Amino acid sequence: MFIPKKLLIISATLSMFSSYANSQKLALEIDIPQLNVAEYHSPYVAVWLENKARKSTQIAVWYDVKMADNEGQEWLKDMRQWWRRGGRSLNLPYDGLTSATRGPGSHQISIDLDKDELKGLEPGDYKLRIEAAREVGGRELIEIPLTLPLDTSTLPIYKSGKSELGNISLNLQTND
């Protein structure tokens, strides 16, 4: 049976978009660069979604969770934007949100769009914000504009940091 090449290409393309439409998770990949500094501490990182009124929905926060007497929480306010946009009102550690900070390398966060906090968001324009701050280091904030409901044709989205954050990518998570 002969199937024209154009039909195969169209079928494969439709199949790809169909699988994107059914996906309910985003993969946020965050690269933390290796810095050549005298005293290196892994950065604290916060990720949240913010609407035009600057109301935030928390996605993740990485900090030193193993310090005695929760002293790692003391440095969370160095992520100034996150701290002002809801970080200070969280009771940490927050189940499903808090985890240990990470060193240089590529790290992935799975964002479940069916999670109650995200599923209930109003349609409109948002910013996915990623902020990093490092003890004896710098601070950096990266914003990724998003519109909800999510238009999957705009993905993947790439951004690059200049100091505390490296490459950032947002894409649909595959079910591999």
Side-chain angles (χ1 to χ4, degrees), residues 7-173:
L7 185 57
L8 284 174
I9 292 171
I10 290 170
S11 175
T13 303
L14 289 174
S15 174
M16 181 177 74
F17 284 118
S18 173
S19 65
Y20 279 179
N22 293 331
S23 179
Q24 297 298 314
K25 291 186 178 180
L26 294 174
L28 175 66
E29 192 160 321
I30 300 171
D31 287 340
I32 296 176
Q34 177 73 50
L35 301 175
N36 189 16
V37 294
E39 185 177 347
Y40 181 82
H41 299 272
S42 296
Y44 286 18
V45 176
V47 179
W48 71 101
L49 192 63
E50 193 172 287
N51 68 10
K52 281 186 166 183
R54 305 206 69 188
K55 182 179 178 205
S56 64
T57 302
Q58 303 297 322
I59 306 289
V61 60
W62 302 341
Y63 68 96
D64 194 343
V65 295
K66 293 184 177 178
M67 288 182 87
D69 300 322
N70 295 322
E71 288 181 27
Q73 292 181 20
E74 177 183 333
W75 304 102
L76 288 171
K77 56 185 161 235
D78 285 355
M79 294 186 290
R80 293 181 223 143
Q81 291 295 313
W82 172 76
W83 185 254
R84 291 181 197 135
R85 297 292 163 234
R88 66 178 144 204
S89 64
L90 291 178
N91 287 324
L92 294 171
Y94 195 88
D95 191 32
L97 176 72
T98 301
S99 62
T101 191
R102 293 142 197 207
S106 183
H107 308 282
Q108 188 170 342
I109 296 174
S110 177
I111 302 173
D112 185 354
L113 297 175
D114 286 334
K115 199 173 178 181
D116 288 343
E117 299 86 11
L118 297 173
K119 196 166 59 173
L121 294 175
E122 296 288 324
D125 294 330
Y126 290 83
K127 289 179 183 173
L128 183 65
R129 303 182 98 192
I130 301 109
E131 185 172 25
R134 195 168 45 83
E135 185 180 348
V136 197
R139 185 185 77 79
E140 186 164 23
L141 175 70
I142 291 181
E143 298 178 343
I144 298 176
L146 292 176
T147 300
L148 296 179
L150 190 62
D151 177 4
T152 57
S153 69
T154 63
L155 300 175
I157 298 171
Y158 299 99
K159 295 278 185 170
S160 288
K162 294 179 181 165
S163 58
E164 301 299 328
L165 293 168
N167 294 324
I168 307 286
S169 68
L170 182 67
N171 203 353
L172 290 168
Q173 187 169 1

